[in-house]
Every structure is written in C-alpha cells, then in structure tokens.
Amino acid sequence: MNYLQLHEQNKEQSLFGRYITLNHIEPLLEKYNAAIIGKSVLDKPIYTLQFGSGKVKILMWSQMHGNESTTTKGLFDYINFLNSNTKESERILSKFTFCIIPMLNPDGAELYTRENANAVDLNRDSQNLSQPESIVLRKTFEEFQPHYCYNLHDQRTIFGVADSGKPATVSFLAPAFNESRDVNDVRIKAMNVIVAMNDVLQQYIPNQIGRFDDSFNINCIGDTFQYLKVPTILFEAGHFPNDYEREETRKYIFIALFSGIEFLSENDIVISKIDDYLKIPQNKVVFYDFVYKNVKINYDNKEKIINFAAQYKEVLNKNKVQFEARITQIENLDSFFGHVVIDANGEQFSSEETDFPKIDQKANFYLGKSKKVVNGLIIN
C-alpha cells in the first residue's frame, strides 16, 4: 500500500502550519456534524465527532496541550479518509466506532500555550479533575467506554532516537499503569499496536521512531486510563529535518493512525510483542536546533575556541508562530547533536552586543568578517 499517496488523497488542505485554533477547524466540525460536549474555561465549545458503527470503540483526543497541533492536522487527514466512501473506509467504519475530540484545549490553542486558560497542564489533572476540559474528557471516557484510547501530542525538537543522531520524528508509549511499570494484557494490547505502527513507519522514516519514557504518573491521563484497564497509546509528533511547520510529520501521524487501526481490524488474538516494543529505541534529549563549532572568542583578553548551541523559541505574533533563535548552551555539547551544525573553522565571534555568546542572546552575530548569522542561520 502506498501510504504517502493515500495521505495526499486525504490531506485536509485547509489546515497548515503550527498555529491551529478552533476558528481553523470549526468549518470542518460543521461539515462532519460535530456535537458540543462541553465548554472551556473561556467558554469556548469543545466538540466531538463520531464515525462508524463497529463493535470496537476507539476514543481519540488532540490538542490537550494547545500548542501541540500536528496531531490535529493528521487526525483530520484521517477523518477525511474515514469519510472517503471507499471500500477500505467502509470496512473500517463497519468494524470500529470512533469518538474523536479534535481540540480538547481551545483556549490554549488560541493563546498558543501548553496549559489551559487557568495555566493548568491538563495532562497533570486526571485525578483532581479541577478543570472543565479535564471533566469533559473524563465524562466522555466514562460514557463512551472505549476499547482503546489514542492520546495525541507533539514533542519538541530536542528529542532524538537514543544516541543515533536521528530526530525522533514520531514517538510512542504504552503508558505504565503502576509504579513498578508492570506489563499486563491491557498494556500488551497497546504495545502490539505500537509495534504494528513502527513496522510500517520504518519503511518511510527509518530509525526516526522513538519510545517515550514510561515513568508512572497517575496524574497523567494516559497512565490513568491504562490504570482503568483501557489500552492507551501516546503519540508524540516530533521533528523531521527542516520541517518546523510539521507538514512532513503530519504525514507520518496519518500513516501511524491508518496502519495501527488496520492492524486492529485484522488481529483479534493477543500475542505479546513486548520484545519488539522494547527494541524501539528510547526518546532522549540530545538535540539543539543549531550547534556552532570551533568558534573563536576573546574572553578576559584571552583567545579560546568554543562550541555553543541555539534553540528556537516559538512566539505567537499576529496569529502566526514565529521561530526566534536564541543562544541556549555554551560548551558541554559532547553528547548533543544539532539539526543544523555550523563549523566556524576558528573564525572570530562578534555581535552588536558582545564579543562572546551569552545565554538567551538572540542568535544574530558574525563569524569572522564574511559570515553573517541571522536568526541562527548563515545568510551570506
């Protein structure tokens, strides 16, 4: 099966980039007859979509963190497939019933923040249920009684696949259900789906799939639902080279959704694939957006050669996310990689502010007399 062609056929063209709000998706919600199931802190509607009539029920939610929009795009691409009136989509709809909350945190989405309007991380509120959005998700879970849960997120560009030097473009987790991180039949079901998705994704982004840390935290929604004996799968949409708008990554979220559900449609017997699951390398914080090597500086009247790194800060400006590169780390980069690596070859650092890099300084400087760096990148 040509998954990339399938994605192109079903890609939701109205959604693009990192800033996805309720205003962007409401025409799609109307198109697919979404229902309002609650309100946010700022009284914005929280919608649900239901498709299919099958026995196996799957609950999915995205943008629990408002600034994590890649999975929302991939989710609407998959929703378009479900409504494509093809033999394949009709077969899936006959086997599954989907309950989808495309944007759990509409306030955070508009503000482009991780938290909701009360500055609460909804993914740490599964026990207190202190926020209206948390209550909506828990009520939907209890009323829908899913057989599987899909917890859809983004992760930062800092994550790589172990020490491979490859970015973690997509990462998964079958969350723990207790402190000792035991494995039971419920968790095995989630692991098996992840293995199936990994097998397919390796054909498209080899060595760019990670396994998220499974430390137990009952306040996290995935851990809670796994504890309540419902197989839960965490999706983390990460970085693909030069894809800061996450338009490439959305393809692989679509492929993961498609291939995982295809696996569930064809497999009823639970055969443990825990060994294959554990072979997926763990996520690790090993990347900066920019690494600058062999840079000469003059510090205390002494010349020395240093390395330093810069990271993009995401800033919402006039309804668009801008990426501002700022110096993040000086030296101590031996175990880190850069999505962009610039070797100064001993050229002298200089800037309008200082003669040496400082933490949180904008990455605008010169290397020697001929190399001008603007917002992290050499422009001449």
Side-chain angles (χ1 to χ4, degrees), residues 289-292 308-313 323-329 342 349-353 357-367 371-379:
D289 289 319
F290 302 94
V291 169
Y292 307 94
F308 65 95
Q311 193 73 20
Y312 277 133
K313 181 179 180 181
F323 298 90
E324 296 183 357
R326 292 183 176 270
I327 295 171
T328 307
Q329 182 68 33
I342 295 173
F349 176 97
S350 64
S351 73
E352 294 180 1
E353 300 175 31
K358 289 185 175 181
I359 298 297
D360 205 39
Q361 175 183 342
K362 287 186 177 181
N364 300 324
F365 52 87
Y366 288 90
L367 296 172
K371 295 178 182 176
K372 185 178 182 180
V373 176
V374 176
N375 203 31
L377 291 167
I378 293 175
I379 62 168

Side-chain angles (χ1 to χ4, degrees), residues 37-173:
I37 53 172
K39 294 290 183 72
S40 69
V41 171
L42 298 181
D43 207 37
K44 290 185 176 62
I46 299 172
Y47 291 91
T48 187
L49 292 161
Q50 289 207 22
F51 305 104
S53 57
K55 293 181 180 179
V56 180
K57 296 188 286 185
I58 300 179
L59 173 62
M60 301 177 173
W61 63 95
S62 185
Q63 273 182 282
M64 168 176 269
H65 295 141
N67 60 352
E68 298 180 1
S69 58
T70 308
T71 53
T72 303
K73 294 185 293 185
L75 195 50
F76 273 105
D77 299 340
Y78 188 72
I79 288 169
N80 284 348
F81 159 73
L82 291 177
N83 289 273
S84 61
N85 297 316
T86 61
K87 288 183 178 179
E88 181 61 20
S89 66
E90 290 173 0
R91 183 178 70 84
I92 294 299
L93 291 173
S94 70
K95 292 195 171 189
F96 298 94
T97 299
F98 297 92
C99 178
I100 300 170
I101 304 173
M103 186 175 287
L104 183 64
N105 182 5
D107 299 340
E110 184 165 341
L111 297 169
Y112 200 70
T113 59
R114 178 181 174 88
E115 298 85 7
N116 74 346
N118 286 333
V120 172
D121 184 340
L122 300 178
N123 203 25
R124 300 295 183 272
D125 192 42
S126 69
Q127 294 300 303
N128 291 337
L129 297 176
S130 66
Q131 302 302 303
E133 299 92 344
S134 306
I135 294 169
V136 165
L137 179 58
R138 186 58 174 267
K139 182 180 178 183
T140 303
F141 172 84
E142 291 173 350
E143 291 180 352
F144 186 62
Q145 296 184 350
H147 297 98
Y148 289 87
C149 288
Y150 281 38
N151 184 12
L152 301 159
H153 289 264
D154 277 47
Q155 66 181 8
R156 296 171 62 198
T157 60
I158 60 176
F159 288 101
V161 177
D163 294 309
S164 67
K166 296 278 192 178
T169 301
V170 180
S171 295
F172 299 110
L173 174 67

Side-chain angles (χ1 to χ4, degrees), residues 191-210:
M191 289 177 176
N192 286 357
V193 177
I194 290 170
V195 169
M197 293 188 291
N198 178 64
D199 287 346
V200 172
L201 286 174
Q202 290 292 347
Q203 301 171 40
Y204 295 90
I205 44 173
N207 305 313
Q208 289 177 228
I209 297 97

Side-chain angles (χ1 to χ4, degrees), residues 123-337:
N123 203 25
R124 300 295 183 272
D125 192 42
S126 69
Q127 294 300 303
N128 291 337
L129 297 176
S130 66
Q131 302 302 303
E133 299 92 344
S134 306
I135 294 169
V136 165
L137 179 58
R138 186 58 174 267
K139 182 180 178 183
T140 303
F141 172 84
E142 291 173 350
E143 291 180 352
F144 186 62
Q145 296 184 350
H147 297 98
Y148 289 87
C149 288
Y150 281 38
N151 184 12
L152 301 159
H153 289 264
D154 277 47
Q155 66 181 8
R156 296 171 62 198
T157 60
I158 60 176
F159 288 101
V161 177
D163 294 309
S164 67
K166 296 278 192 178
T169 301
V170 180
S171 295
F172 299 110
L173 174 67
F177 64 88
N178 61 11
E179 290 283 354
S180 57
R181 296 184 275 190
D182 294 327
V183 176
N184 60 3
D185 288 347
V186 174
R187 201 172 177 203
I188 285 171
K189 286 181 178 180
M191 289 177 176
N192 286 357
V193 177
I194 290 170
V195 169
M197 293 188 291
N198 178 64
D199 287 346
V200 172
L201 286 174
Q202 290 292 347
Q203 301 171 40
Y204 295 90
I205 44 173
N207 305 313
Q208 289 177 228
I209 297 97
R211 176 166 51 89
F212 209 76
D213 175 65
D214 68 347
S215 298
F216 178 70
N217 184 347
I218 193 63
N219 296 304
C220 294
I221 195 67
D223 302 50
T224 292
F225 287 172
Q226 201 90 290
Y227 171 79
L228 294 173
K229 297 182 169 46
V230 177
T232 300
I233 300 163
L234 172 70
F235 287 64
E236 294 281 355
H239 186 65
F240 185 90
N242 302 313
D243 180 37
Y244 284 91
E245 298 292 352
R246 298 267 166 103
E247 288 298 302
E248 285 292 318
T249 301
R250 78 186 283 181
K251 297 178 184 178
Y252 306 117
I253 294 300
F254 171 87
I255 290 172
L257 291 169
F258 191 99
S259 58
I261 291 164
E262 186 70 15
F263 168 80
L264 286 175
S265 75
E266 296 173 351
N267 294 271
D268 296 323
I269 301 171
V270 176
I271 300 172
S272 175
K273 295 188 178 182
I274 184 172
D275 290 341
D276 292 329
Y277 173 77
L278 294 175
K279 287 177 184 175
I280 301 172
Q282 280 203 288
N283 255 22
K284 193 173 180 181
V285 177
V286 290
F287 269 98
Y288 290 103
D289 289 319
F290 302 94
V291 169
Y292 307 94
K293 294 185 173 183
N294 303 311
V295 181
K296 184 192 291 184
I297 65 167
N298 192 315
Y299 188 76
D300 283 345
N301 296 318
K302 294 180 181 178
E303 287 188 345
K304 62 185 296 189
I305 300 295
I306 66 165
N307 302 321
F308 65 95
Q311 193 73 20
Y312 277 133
K313 181 179 180 181
E314 297 171 25
V315 179
L316 183 64
N317 184 19
K318 296 180 180 179
N319 293 327
K320 187 174 181 180
V321 176
Q322 296 179 340
F323 298 90
E324 296 183 357
R326 292 183 176 270
I327 295 171
T328 307
Q329 182 68 33
I330 300 171
E331 297 290 31
N332 302 315
L333 299 177
D334 290 346
S335 59
F336 286 85
F337 304 93

